[in-house]
Amino acid sequence: MTRPNLLVICGRNKRRSRTAEHIFKNDSRFNIRSAGLSPQSNRKISESDLNWADQVLLMEADQKTKIRKVYQHLELPPIEILDIADDYEFMDE
């Protein structure tokens, strides 16, 4: 059985999505990668990220609109909103 590819996205890939990637990077149930939507992101989302992903996890609902607008030419994988506010630092519980 192949492991699904999870793409976790937040605004700048500095805190929330990086924390998720760091926590789950060695999980044998799936592959995980993180990215941000902002041009100032540590790692900015790319078309290849979306093509790689089997599932996209977003921190905020408005991020879904942004992704659909920028990448409207792609067949996007399923997207789930986690509703995690930008109130946490990297590796906060």
Side-chain angles (χ1 to χ4, degrees), residues 6 19-32:
L6 302 181
T19 296
E21 181 179 24
H22 184 77
I23 289 171
F24 293 107
K25 67 183 175 187
N26 295 318
D27 194 306
S28 63
R29 298 172 294 172
F30 49 81
N31 302 307
I32 190 164

Side-chain angles (χ1 to χ4, degrees), residues 9 16 58-64 81-86:
I9 299 171
R16 297 173 289 174
L58 302 176
M59 300 296 157
E60 301 169 19
D62 68 322
Q63 294 168 339
K64 187 174 184 177
I81 312 301
L82 300 177
D83 285 322
I84 298 174
D86 195 9

